[in-house]
Amino acid sequence: MCLAVPMKISSIDGFLCVCEARGIKREVSLFMLQDDSLKVGDHVLVHVGYAIQKVSDQEAAESWQLFDEMLATENTA
Amino acid sequence: MKDAAHWLDALRDLDIATPIRIMNVCGGHERSISVAGLRTALPEKIELIPGPGCPVCICPEEDVYEAIQLALHEDITLVAFGDMLRVPVNAPKREPRSLEQAKAAGADIRPIASPTEAVRIANSDPARTVVFFAAGFETTTAPVAAMLSEGAPKNLLVLLSGRLTWPAVAMLLESEAPGFDALIAPGHVSTVMGPEEWQFVVDKHGLPAAIAGFRADTLLAAMYSVVEQLQSGRRALDNCYPEVVRPGGNTLARRQLDEVMQVYDANWRGVGVIPRSGYRLREKYAAHDSRRVFRSYADESRKRVGEMPPGCDCARVVLGKVYPNECRLYGLACTPRKPIGPCMVSDEGACRIWWSSGYRENRWEGRRQEKTNV
Ligand code: SF4
């Protein structure tokens, strides 16, 4: 529940957007970031369906490396 | 940023004479630490203690009971984050002891992953009342506030069990034996609330603190920071996760929290009341407040009301007083398949994290006295 993951914005409709990461698409609310001018292609940190902060592309890529490792470990546990 | 190997070498190069106990207060940190095997990689004198980092574990037993009873007795749909469904309460035998069991008994209970899903479910049938049982720390509670601030459907109510993390750390630090020498502060709580929330650890209590993200490099950088501080006498709150933790946090999110909710002295399961540690809905949102709209189902005559299940040491695990595998039931009666306490149910519970990362040995026999006496 508390794990926030970086996702890439693929379309925006008002305060709602569709985000993508690792081929998975999710509807995400931008209500908490409405003061940041976000655009398609930006990365945001998503927690329980809400974008809580903007992140750089590099930070997003590095975080996913870790999650992949964590998932790999937990699947074998 | 320097990589994990760099920080690990730097930590190994330090000459550490007396044991150093570093507490983390985030299930995500504990997961990264366990999965990356940091406990075995670090010098022996550095002890990593999982602390109050699991909102599911400390969600008041009474609130889970309330949610179960609402779902059983009122004509509603109850939605909750998936982790909450298996949390056990101390109900009399033959009565449902979790939301999952209440669902099996016919109650309309659905797991959700986001407040936006609660809105969608409420919108899909405006004639039906939907109650969102919302437990969580700041990172989860802020989106609930955003949902209400944006304007939730009339038929969507919230049973709020939001909690703040720092007051639990403050309570430990004000106690006689806090049980740790330095703090790794939570990255995503700080992303929303701002790093400033943790400054009191340094200013008021003189302990080193550092905010960390979730990769091994930022966690190790934070550990190096606090150990170096202990050795040099320098004191600061270091931000080792500046990529997303910015001064002031997410100011809009904080405004939304403040507009919708107020802070009050709140109960933590098995721990008791911690000053200024809980969120409740403001008067303005009374029409969305399940606690104001429905009668209370509290039953103080229940056996072990408010407590952890019999034999479960979760409360002391959460406060960092014992390690998960120092519980008598760890890995024996209690496993993720058949969890006894909330710390084995939740993905953020230290017991479950330890079990999933391969700690299989029960250390009840060899356990220390309270770690605070070490
Ligand atoms: S091992 Fe199970 S019973 Fe023991 S503290 Fe953890 S959750 Fe509770």
Side-chain angles (χ1 to χ4, degrees):
Chain A
M1 180 159 99
C2 265
L3 192 67
V5 294
M7 298 185 89
K8 188 177 185 165
I9 301 177
S10 49
S11 67
I12 302 181
D13 178 15
F15 293 137
L16 276 184
C17 72
V18 175
C19 285
E20 195 182 339
R22 288 291 184 270
I24 293 168
K25 289 199 173 199
R26 285 272 180 279
E27 194 177 70
V28 170
S29 169
L30 297 175
F31 197 74
M32 290 161 70
L33 287 183
Q34 56 184 282
D35 293 350
D36 297 46
S37 40
L38 292 163
K39 53 184 189 324
V40 170
D42 285 345
H43 283 91
V44 284
L45 194 59
V46 177
H47 180 68
V48 296
Y50 278 71
I52 61 171
Q53 196 59 276
K54 204 178 156 173
V55 290
S56 73
D57 302 359
Q58 190 199 340
E59 165 65 16
E62 286 173 2
S63 297
W64 273 106
Q65 252 173 21
L66 166 85
F67 297 138
D68 288 343
E69 284 162 27
M70 288 198 345
L71 290 175
T73 314
E74 284 178 9
N75 288 343
T76 54
Chain B
M1 181 141 205
K2 298 191 170 100
D3 67 4
H6 164 88
W7 293 115
L8 203 50
D9 284 344
L11 276 158
R12 285 180 180 146
D13 282 347
L14 292 171
D15 187 19
I16 305 169
T18 46
I20 294 173
R21 301 163 300 175
I22 306 175
M23 178 175 274
N24 74 70
V25 291
C26 169
H29 279 167
E30 185 53 35
R31 250 158 72 125
S32 299
I33 287 169
S34 300
V35 168
L38 295 189
R39 280 197 179 78
T40 32
L42 285 169
E44 225 176 79
K45 290 258 162 61
I46 298 179
E47 213 187 313
L48 303 179
I49 301 174
C54 171
V56 175
C57 306
I58 56 86
C59 178
E61 192 261 354
E62 297 91 323
D63 287 7
V64 185
Y65 183 78
E66 187 77 29
I68 293 172
Q69 299 307 315
L70 274 176
L72 288 172
H73 298 292
E74 303 284 348
D75 191 16
I76 59 154
T77 299
L78 189 119
V79 299
F81 292 118
D83 266 14
M84 296 305 300
L85 264 57
R86 293 173 77 203
V87 173
V89 298
N90 301 314
K93 274 211 175 77
R94 288 194 306 273
E95 277 185 31
R97 290 186 159 181
S98 65
L99 285 165
E100 198 174 57
Q101 289 179 8
K103 185 178 161 78
D108 182 5
I109 297 171
R110 303 182 206 169
I112 56 169
S114 166
T116 55
E117 263 180 77
V119 172
R120 200 176 313 125
I121 292 171
N123 277 334
S124 71
D125 186 356
R128 186 160 176 82
T129 301
V130 175
V131 176
F132 175 13
F133 177 30
F137 286 140
E138 296 95 325
T139 334
T140 307
T141 307
V144 177
M147 174 193 89
L148 289 169
S149 170
E150 188 174 358
K154 272 207 182 66
N155 58 325
L156 178 54
L157 311 187
V158 176
L159 175 62
L160 186 61
S161 289
R163 293 291 180 273
L164 292 92
T165 39
W166 71 263
V169 174
M171 181 202 73
L172 283 173
L173 285 172
E174 275 154 28
S175 71
E176 237 160 74
F180 59 101
D181 311 299
L183 182 79
I184 302 292
H188 291 152
V189 169
S190 305
T191 303
V192 175
M193 305 304 286
E196 299 82 2
E197 243 188 17
W198 299 97
Q199 193 65 42
F200 78 96
V201 177
V202 179
D203 292 352
K204 192 162 168 209
H205 301 281
L207 259 65
I211 295 164
F214 298 84
R215 295 195 313 263
D217 56 349
T218 115
L219 273 163
L220 286 165
M223 286 168 198
Y224 179 82
S225 158
V226 295
V227 175
E228 184 277 325
Q229 289 192 46
L230 281 171
Q231 296 203 318
S232 68
R234 176 177 79 93
R235 285 294 179 271
L237 171 70
D238 276 339
N239 182 0
C240 301
Y241 194 30
E243 304 90 315
V244 290
V245 177
R246 297 169 196 152
N250 181 333
T251 46
L252 177 66
R254 280 175 40 220
R255 268 212 309 281
Q256 290 164 354
L257 260 174
D258 192 50
E259 180 222 320
V260 177
M261 300 171 188
Q262 71 196 130
V263 169
Y264 77 111
D265 299 347
N267 194 22
W268 291 46
R269 184 172 187 172
V271 174
V273 172
I274 303 182
R276 305 189 52 74
S277 69
Y279 288 109
R280 65 175 162 214
L281 295 182
R282 289 192 187 273
E283 186 67 42
K284 197 178 147 193
Y285 289 89
H288 287 288
D289 190 348
S290 144
R291 294 182 199 272
R292 284 164 160 125
V293 172
F294 290 110
R295 77 167 186 90
S296 162
Y297 285 92
D299 174 8
E300 294 302 324
S301 69
R302 274 186 303 128
K303 254 200 202 142
R304 300 183 62 90
V305 60
E307 294 176 28
M308 291 294 177
C312 167
D313 236 343
C314 267
R316 292 200 308 155
V317 169
V318 162
L319 295 178
K321 303 294 184 197
V322 296
Y323 280 127
N325 60 356
E326 290 171 336
C327 165
R328 186 199 287 265
L329 305 179
Y330 179 86
L332 303 171
C334 184
T335 60
R337 242 175 242 275
K338 279 188 72 184
I340 300 232
C343 298
M344 194 61 95
V345 168
S346 168
D347 280 342
E348 281 132 63
C351 297
R352 183 176 189 126
I353 294 168
W354 277 41
W355 185 261
S356 320
S357 356
Y359 289 89
R360 292 295 146 94
E361 191 189 351
N362 183 301
R363 299 287 282 273
W364 157 259
E365 288 295 342
R367 82 195 180 287
R368 273 160 288 194
Q369 291 302 306
E370 297 273 301
K371 269 214 288 295
T372 47
N373 297 341
V374 171

